[in-house]
Amino acid sequence: MRGPEQNLPGLSLPPTVVAGHLRSCAEELAETLRGHDEAATLGELTEVVTQLVAGQRALAHALAGLAGRVDVRNVALVAAPTVDLEVVTEVLQAAACAASCSAEALVEAQPSLDCVRESAGPDTRV
């Protein structure tokens, strides 16, 4: 979450800090959901999927942004081998596409998840 001080123009965290936070949060979520304890209700899990869709879409945009920064047309990278720039750009673009596809797959599963939640009850712990 962003605090008010982070919404000020010109004030942002370095990408490495944001990426590290993303990784920590993803690891914590994975650990919570991998556990065998009844950690969440079906209603909560539905909200988790909604948040994951938004996160995957944001990740797709971030990866596309990275691809744009290492593009062979970036004059700051003139000393780098063109073939390596092309490989990195292509891989980042493919990763962006995969993240976007992941988000869309989750969206397509949403009606079934809603049916499960409604059938078993949103307060059912799983």
Side-chain angles (χ1 to χ4, degrees):
M1 284 195 265
R2 298 187 120 180
E5 68 281 358
Q6 293 173 332
N7 291 327
L8 296 174
L11 181 63
S12 62
L13 296 172
T16 53
V17 171
V18 176
H21 183 67
L22 174 64
R23 177 183 174 183
S24 295
C25 289
E27 288 172 349
E28 182 68 26
L29 179 61
E31 185 64 31
T32 298
L33 296 177
R34 269 194 307 241
H36 298 291
D37 297 335
E38 294 176 356
T41 65
L42 285 172
E44 290 169 329
L45 293 182
T46 301
E47 178 59 24
V48 167
V49 171
T50 299
Q51 294 298 326
L52 288 173
V53 167
Q56 286 297 99
R57 287 178 174 156
L59 186 57
H61 290 294
L63 289 163
L66 279 172
R69 287 179 179 256
V70 296
D71 188 272
V72 294
R73 294 168 289 195
N74 185 334
V75 294
L77 301 175
V78 70
T82 301
V83 68
D84 290 324
L85 289 172
E86 289 172 347
V87 167
V88 171
T89 300
E90 186 175 322
V91 167
L92 289 169
Q93 289 170 339
C97 183
S100 182
C101 289
S102 173
E104 294 313 309
L106 289 169
V107 167
E108 289 180 19
Q110 192 70 46
S112 294
L113 180 58
D114 291 341
C115 184
V116 170
R117 183 191 71 225
E118 290 171 16
S119 297
D123 296 326
T124 301
R125 291 206 161 284
V126 293

